[in-house]
């Protein structure tokens, strides 16, 4: 039987614990004795457990295409010294970022959908969140750089090599990466330092920051507000400059006297515009549905849109560039036939 002193200590500890949690709820600086969960549990697609197997197969196939396609793009550009133009250098970095973005979420998604293993450690969850934030920010910056490349190539062709020097390309790549790190590091940091003293079940298939922040015992509004402002600044400015670039490109193309020249110029921009549509449209749909339609759109639709936003661009980017860019198509075919010929010689 517990002594009166022991009962008093238990009551006091219970009162202190409740007071700490209440302080958190009210937004008062919380007591750091609140324990954070060692792991989170990702449920996958809430409300669609019967579709998890098909999702695992589909995502696995798309991830395989993404890895093979982007690795092939990087290998061709690395091995072929004729592909040292700025556009292909940016494409090389884009392929690397696509691999990072897909690899940060898809293997865990496939594990959840195929085996139901949704557990992820606290540190791994926020590491995944950080890589997703930085990769998506770098990708939108690369799309802006590629739009700038097409603008110079079509509107100022005689000054192309003088303007887009290797030094400028390096500065642009470094600036894009630094911008992503500066803007996105505070977001992951803010969410990871929220107190988590309740449920550890994340209603998502990856550590999406809004889904994780909802589990906190404190008000997640500061991190959510920072997310909206930060993404609006980055994506808004990039889309504005990309739109301005293509507006000037279309004006220049319409001013060309030759129809063949017009078609050639538009063809070189077609792949870029396709990639941008694949990146921005699912992203915008995911954001608008999460913020504006959260009371009317089912949760599984919101989660599916967020998942597709991270896997569609890495899967289709290499297909678009590999099939639509004649120079890339020739180099890829040459590399594949060379490899097949070497394998046939080894087999014989």
């Amino acid at each position: 039987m517990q002594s009166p002193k022991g009962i008093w200590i238990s009551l006091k500890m219970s009162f202190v614990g409740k007071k700490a949690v209440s302080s958190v709820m009210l937004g008062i600086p919380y007591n750091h004795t609140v324990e954070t969960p060692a792991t989170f549990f990702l449920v996958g697609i809430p409300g669609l457990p019967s579709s998890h197997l098909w999702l695992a197969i589909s995502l696995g196939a798309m991830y395989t295409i993404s890895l093979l396609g982007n690795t092939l793009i990087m290998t061709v550009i690395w091995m072929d010294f004729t592909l040292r133009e700025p556009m292909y250098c940016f494409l090389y970095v884009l392929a690397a970022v696509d691999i990072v973005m897909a690899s940060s979420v898809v293997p865990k998604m496939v594990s959840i959908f195929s085996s139901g293993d949704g557990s992820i450690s606290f540190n791994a969850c926020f590491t995944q969140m950080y890589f997703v934030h930085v990769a998506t920010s770098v990708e939108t910056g690369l799309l802006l750089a590629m739009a700038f490349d097409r603008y110079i190539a079509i509107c100022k062709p005689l000054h192309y090599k003088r303007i887009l020097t290797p030094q400028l390309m390096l500065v642009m790549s470094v600036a894009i990466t630094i911008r992503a790190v500066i803007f996105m590091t505070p977001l992951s940091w803010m969410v990871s330092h929220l107190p988590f003293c309740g449920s550890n079940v994340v209603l998502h298939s990856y550590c999406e920051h809004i889904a994780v922040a909802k589990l906190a015992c404190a008000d997640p509004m500061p991190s959510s507000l920072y997310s909206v402002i930060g993404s609006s600044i980055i994506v808004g400015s990039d889309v504005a400059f990309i739109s301005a670039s293509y507006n000037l490109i279309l004006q220049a193309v319409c001013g060309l006297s030759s129809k063949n020249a017009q078609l050639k110029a538009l063809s070189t921009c077609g792949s870029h515009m396709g990639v941008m549509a694949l990146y921005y449209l699912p992203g915008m749909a995911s954001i608008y549905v999460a913020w504006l339609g959260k009371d009317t759109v089912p949760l599984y639709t919101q989660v599916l849109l967020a998942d597709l936003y991270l896997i569609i661009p890495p899967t289709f980017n290499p297909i678009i560039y590999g099939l639509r860019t004649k120079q890339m198509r020739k180099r890829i075919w040459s590399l594949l036939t060379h490899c097949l010929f070497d394998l046939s010689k080894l087999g014989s």
Side-chain angles (χ1 to χ4, degrees), residues 101-117:
M101 185 160 67
S103 298
S104 64
V105 293
V106 178
K108 187 59 185 178
M109 287 182 186
V110 173
S111 174
I112 295 169
F113 297 143
S114 59
S115 65
D117 180 19

Side-chain angles (χ1 to χ4, degrees), residues 204 206 208 280-292 301-309:
H204 217 289
Y206 70 94
E208 195 268 340
Y280 288 116
L281 292 181
M284 291 171 66
S286 174
I287 292 170
Y288 283 122
V289 166
W291 282 92
L292 303 178
T301 302
Q302 300 177 36
V303 175
L304 273 173
L305 282 172
D307 292 349
L308 292 175
Y309 168 58

Side-chain angles (χ1 to χ4, degrees), residues 258-328:
S258 171
K259 288 290 182 183
N260 288 333
Q262 289 181 349
L263 291 175
K264 185 178 179 180
L266 290 174
S267 178
T268 59
C269 295
S271 56
H272 301 280
M273 296 180 74
V275 167
M276 289 172 192
L278 282 174
Y279 179 78
Y280 288 116
L281 292 181
M284 291 171 66
S286 174
I287 292 170
Y288 283 122
V289 166
W291 282 92
L292 303 178
K294 58 185 177 182
D295 296 326
T296 56
V297 179
L299 181 59
Y300 62 82
T301 302
Q302 300 177 36
V303 175
L304 273 173
L305 282 172
D307 292 349
L308 292 175
Y309 168 58
L310 295 181
I311 190 59
I312 284 180
T315 303
F316 288 96
N317 284 356
I319 296 175
I320 291 174
Y321 281 113
L323 295 179
R324 287 192 58 88
T325 308
K326 185 179 179 181
Q327 196 172 1
M328 281 295 302

Side-chain angles (χ1 to χ4, degrees), residues 101-275:
M101 185 160 67
S103 298
S104 64
V105 293
V106 178
K108 187 59 185 178
M109 287 182 186
V110 173
S111 174
I112 295 169
F113 297 143
S114 59
S115 65
D117 180 19
S119 61
I120 183 171
S121 70
F122 185 87
N123 291 333
C125 181
F126 289 102
T127 301
Q128 183 191 68
M129 184 188 298
Y130 180 72
F131 274 108
V132 168
H133 288 158
V134 172
T136 52
S137 178
V138 169
E139 183 144 342
T140 182
L142 287 171
L143 294 179
L144 173 59
M146 295 170 82
F148 178 69
D149 168 83
R150 290 301 85 196
Y151 163 72
I152 299 297
I154 294 174
C155 299
K156 300 180 183 295
L158 298 178
H159 304 284
Y160 183 78
K161 290 186 177 180
R162 184 175 62 82
I163 295 174
L164 281 174
T165 61
Q167 292 79 9
L168 179 61
M169 291 166 53
L170 179 61
V171 169
M172 290 172 68
S173 300
V174 171
I176 289 168
T177 305
I178 290 175
R179 183 188 69 166
V181 171
I182 288 175
F183 272 89
M184 294 302 151
T185 299
L187 178 57
S188 300
W189 184 88
M190 289 170 71
V191 181
S192 67
H193 281 72
L194 288 171
F196 295 93
C197 53
S199 173
N200 66 338
V201 177
V202 182
L203 299 178
H204 217 289
S205 50
Y206 70 94
C207 288
E208 195 268 340
H209 85 274
I210 294 178
V212 175
K214 286 179 179 178
L215 302 180
C217 300
D219 185 8
M221 183 54 68
S223 64
S224 299
L225 193 61
Y226 181 88
S227 172
V228 173
I229 294 173
S231 59
S232 298
I233 292 173
I234 293 177
V235 177
S237 60
D238 288 353
V239 170
F241 283 116
I242 289 171
S243 301
S245 297
Y246 278 100
N247 182 44
L248 294 172
I249 288 171
L250 289 175
Q251 290 180 19
V253 169
C254 292
L256 296 174
S257 57
S258 171
K259 288 290 182 183
N260 288 333
Q262 289 181 349
L263 291 175
K264 185 178 179 180
L266 290 174
S267 178
T268 59
C269 295
S271 56
H272 301 280
M273 296 180 74
V275 167

Side-chain angles (χ1 to χ4, degrees), residues 2-48:
Q2 196 175 17
S3 65
K5 185 177 180 181
I7 295 173
W8 165 247
I9 292 173
S10 299
L11 289 172
K12 187 176 181 182
M13 289 177 68
S14 175
F15 174 76
V16 170
K18 290 178 181 179
K19 187 176 181 181
V21 174
S22 301
S23 298
V24 168
M25 298 291 189
L26 295 171
I28 302 169
Y30 61 88
N31 190 329
H32 288 274
T33 58
V34 175
E35 292 186 4
T36 56
T39 60
F40 288 106
F41 185 82
L42 301 166
V43 300
I45 309 293
L48 288 180

